[in-house]
Structures are given as C-alpha cells and as structure tokens.
Amino acid sequence: MPNRIALFMGPPPAHSPGWAYRIGLIATLLFLGCWSVLFEVSRQLEAVVLVMFVIGAVCTPARGRMARDPLLILLVIWLLLQCVTLPFAMAHFPAFADDQITSMRHLTKLFLVLPVAWFLYGHHLRTGLALGLFLMGMVMTALVYLTLHPQYWFQLTANNRPTLGFKNWEHAGVALGVVLIALSCLAPRFTGWLRHGEASTGWKSLSAALMIAAFGMSAFGVLLVKTRASWLGLILVIIISLTGLLITSLRKPAYRRRGLSLCALIIIAIGLLSVVLGPMLLTRMTAESGVIRHILQGDLTDIPMTSIGFRIHAWYYGIQTWLEHPWFGWGPKSHIPLLLQSMHPVGQGTLGDIAAQSNLRHFHNSYLSLLIANGLAGTAVMAAAVGVIIRGALMAWRRGDMPTDILVFLVLFGVFWAVVNSFESYINYDTGYFMAAMTGGLAYSFHLRHRLESSR
C-alpha cells in the first residue's frame, strides 16, 4: 500500500518541484469533488490549483514546450480580447461595470482545463479518482437533498420540480445526466478500481451494488426534475450508443454476442420505462406542443410566454442585439441590462417587462450568450480551444494513450453537453466551468503528457 500511494503521489518526470505537484494534485481532486457539495471550499481551492500550476509550469524542464501549448496561447488571446470588450461594456452599462469584470473572470475559468490536465497528466488512477470524486459529489448532493426532503421520493408525477441541491432543476438534470452517461460507460472501470486486486466476493458485490445504487438514484433524479433538455440530450445519447454498439457488434465477431445482448437489455429497459412512466414523460414532452405549432407557422407575435416561448423571443432579440456589435460583443455581463431594457414586443408588453417580472435575466443559450458577450472574436477563441481539446483527445486515443471507454464517455458527454447548452446558458454559471474543467481536463491530460514527455 505505501508503494502504491507513493506511485500515485509521485510527480511525473516533467513536473517539478515535487511539492508543488503534490499540493496541486490534492487541491485539484478536492476542487473537482467538492464543487456541488461544498462550493465555498471548492472556490477557495481554485487559487491553490492555479498557483501550483504556475509554479510547476515555470519550473518544468519542458517549460519551452509548455509555453507554446495551444490552450495557453488561446488564453492569452482571450485576455487580450477582453481589453477591447470590457472598456466598451463598462462605459455602456456603468451600473454593471464591476459585474462585467467578475463575469469576465468567470468565463476565463473555462480555461481551467489546462491546470486540471496538468495535474491529472493522463495517469489512469489519478484521472479515475478525479472523475469518481466529481461524480460522487454530484450524487451526494442529490442524496443529501432527498434525505432532507423525503417527500420527493414519492412525488414523481407531481408538479413540484426540486433543485436537488443544485442551482435549480435544470442544473440538477444536467449534473445527474452526466452521472448516468459516465456510469454507463465506465461502471466496469469504477468497480474494478473499487475492488483492486483479488477482492472477496462480498467486496465485489458491494462495489457493484454501489454503482447500481448511484445509477438508479441519478435516473430517478433526472426523471424527478423533468428537465426536457436533459431528456432530449439523453435520448440522443442512447440512439448514438445503440447505433455504435450495433455497428461494432456486426463488424467485430468477438464482440457480437456481448454487444447484441447489451443492445437487447437497453431496448428492454427503455420499453419497461415507457410502460411505467410513458404517460408522465409524454405529458411533459408535449406540454408546449401548441407553442411549437406557432413557431412552425413563423409568426412570433402569437407565441405565448411559456418556457419555450420565452426562449424563442429571447433568441430572436438576442440575434438582433448581437448583430449590432458582431465582432467583440457587448460585454460578459451585458445580457442582464440588454434583456431588462429590451423593447421587443411580446403580446401587449415587452420582453424587458417579462424579464424583470419573471427574473429571466439571460438568453438561455450558451452559444448565443457567448456571441453577445464577446462577439465572433471571443467565440472563435473558445471554439478553437474546444477544437484543440478534441484533436488532442483523438490523437491520444489513436496512440493508445487514452482508453477507448474514456473516449466513448467524452464523445457522449460532448453530445449531451452540446444539446443542453442549446437551451440554457450554463457557461454563465459554475456548472459550466466545472463541467468544462473536469471533462476538458480529462480529455486533454493524455495529450499534454505526450507533448511534455516527447520534448525531453
């Protein structure tokens, strides 16, 4: 056991000094594991992670290669762009001047991908522990909430939509959706880590029971909060997963029996779920079918101010607003005054009146929010960062550095994340940058390790 701990805590050859790496690694694990359970603790650890990363990056023997890292270069470009956007935003909306800076810092935290990748470093046990703590924290948040509010266990068909300890039910649906995807892809890996070595039958059964319990509770939570965007994302993930399993099973005879059996089990589970919960799911999914008909007719004036209706009005107004400052945007916190001051007609009133009355103060779309905040220039930087991470992950997998199940999880997470961000502005909230830090850092860590070690 001591040798195993020493191997886990020992800094890689490209990292020095060792004390900075060890402190940063522990801080990173706690930072990711505590964000939903003990947010204030996690927020304080951000500074520790950043400081230890800077010390390590400056002192590493591969500092030249590290200085040329594409994500680091994109971060510098992003910060330079803020020198153009922020002065305009602060002058245009003086009441929100301080908030502009705060929101800019918040958006910049999306680049926490790089420090997290630095400390995880493509090490299987470290990445597994970090992801396990991240998922366990979200499950524990929901479990504590349901323990304190036991009535929700019996209110699946009620109109109540609990937050499950997250910012609101949308965030809860997204967090638990990610847990479901991760456990579906990585449960064998997690149970293998839990029963490391020659474990007893009882310990093997306990590890499997923990995975099943976490999966079941997360599925219950996703159903309970009734977040349609999460359901849509999960449906798309299931379709892609079944298609991938069928293709793999047909192309590789060695996996045919197992793959086809798994497909059959998934289809049976979906069928049982449809029988038991079909009416409730159908009612929720078709609740705004009339609004969708209005949208298809193309007349915005007839769209009522429902959940989908607000999004349509806000998106239409948001696109018009972005086109007024397409290159550098209005500023990272300008979505609030822009919505509150909107004279876009909605029924007998305006979008601004409805936003003020209902406290709807963002555009409910991460992509549009980023365009409005930082224009095409800032959006291009963020898109380039995503491209760098995806390219690095694919290269790591092709080299054999990244396990296939990790890649499958990242692909399915990416599909789910792309869907839910089409209906909510998660980049404006902590959920956005924590999800980005964990999954992006995990994806990039294997490629970063190759870059630094090949430079020695």
Side-chain angles (χ1 to χ4, degrees), residues 369-382:
S369 294
L370 192 57
L371 277 170
I372 293 171
N374 288 275
L376 282 172
T379 303
V381 171
M382 287 297 183

Side-chain angles (χ1 to χ4, degrees), residues 389-407:
I389 294 169
I390 292 174
R391 178 176 178 272
L394 289 175
M395 290 175 66
W397 175 71
R398 287 169 181 164
R399 287 192 304 267
D401 297 337
M402 178 186 289
T404 299
D405 58 345
I406 295 288
L407 179 71

Side-chain angles (χ1 to χ4, degrees), residues 195-405:
R195 60 171 190 256
H196 185 78
E198 294 297 326
S200 64
T201 303
W203 183 249
K204 292 178 181 179
S205 300
L206 177 61
S207 63
L210 288 173
M211 293 298 105
I212 293 171
F215 187 92
M217 201 202 73
S218 300
F220 176 79
V222 168
L223 292 172
L224 187 62
V225 297
K226 301 179 182 177
T227 304
R228 286 172 297 197
S230 296
W231 292 358
L232 180 61
L234 288 173
I235 290 170
L236 189 56
V237 164
I238 290 171
I239 292 172
I240 293 173
S241 300
L242 285 172
T243 304
L245 277 171
L246 286 172
I247 292 173
T248 303
S249 300
L250 294 174
R251 287 185 175 179
K252 297 184 178 180
Y255 296 100
R256 185 165 298 167
R257 178 179 297 179
R258 184 181 298 178
L260 293 176
S261 299
L262 187 55
C263 287
L265 285 174
I266 294 172
I267 293 171
I268 291 170
I270 293 172
L272 291 172
L273 185 66
S274 301
V275 171
V276 177
L277 299 173
M280 184 274 288
L281 297 173
L282 187 61
T283 300
R284 176 63 182 155
M285 291 297 287
T286 60
E288 297 190 46
S289 55
V291 179
I292 295 174
R293 282 196 296 271
H294 281 300
I295 295 170
L296 294 176
Q297 291 171 1
D299 187 358
L300 293 183
T301 58
D302 289 335
I303 297 177
M305 191 47 63
T306 60
S307 175
I308 295 177
F310 173 80
R311 284 169 169 79
I312 297 301
H313 285 292
W315 295 346
Y316 180 76
Y317 166 68
I319 292 172
Q320 291 179 318
T321 303
W322 162 61
L323 289 173
E324 295 180 29
H325 293 278
W327 295 109
F328 298 103
W330 291 82
K333 200 66 174 182
S334 299
H335 53 271
I336 294 179
L338 286 172
L339 273 172
L340 293 178
Q341 298 171 15
S342 171
M343 299 305 294
H344 173 74
V346 179
Q348 302 301 314
T350 65
L351 184 63
D353 295 334
I354 294 169
Q357 293 166 9
S358 304
N359 197 32
L360 298 169
R361 303 193 175 192
H362 62 87
F363 286 91
H364 289 75
N365 183 298
S366 286
Y367 315 114
L368 183 58
S369 294
L370 192 57
L371 277 170
I372 293 171
N374 288 275
L376 282 172
T379 303
V381 171
M382 287 297 183
V386 173
V388 167
I389 294 169
I390 292 174
R391 178 176 178 272
L394 289 175
M395 290 175 66
W397 175 71
R398 287 169 181 164
R399 287 192 304 267
D401 297 337
M402 178 186 289
T404 299
D405 58 345

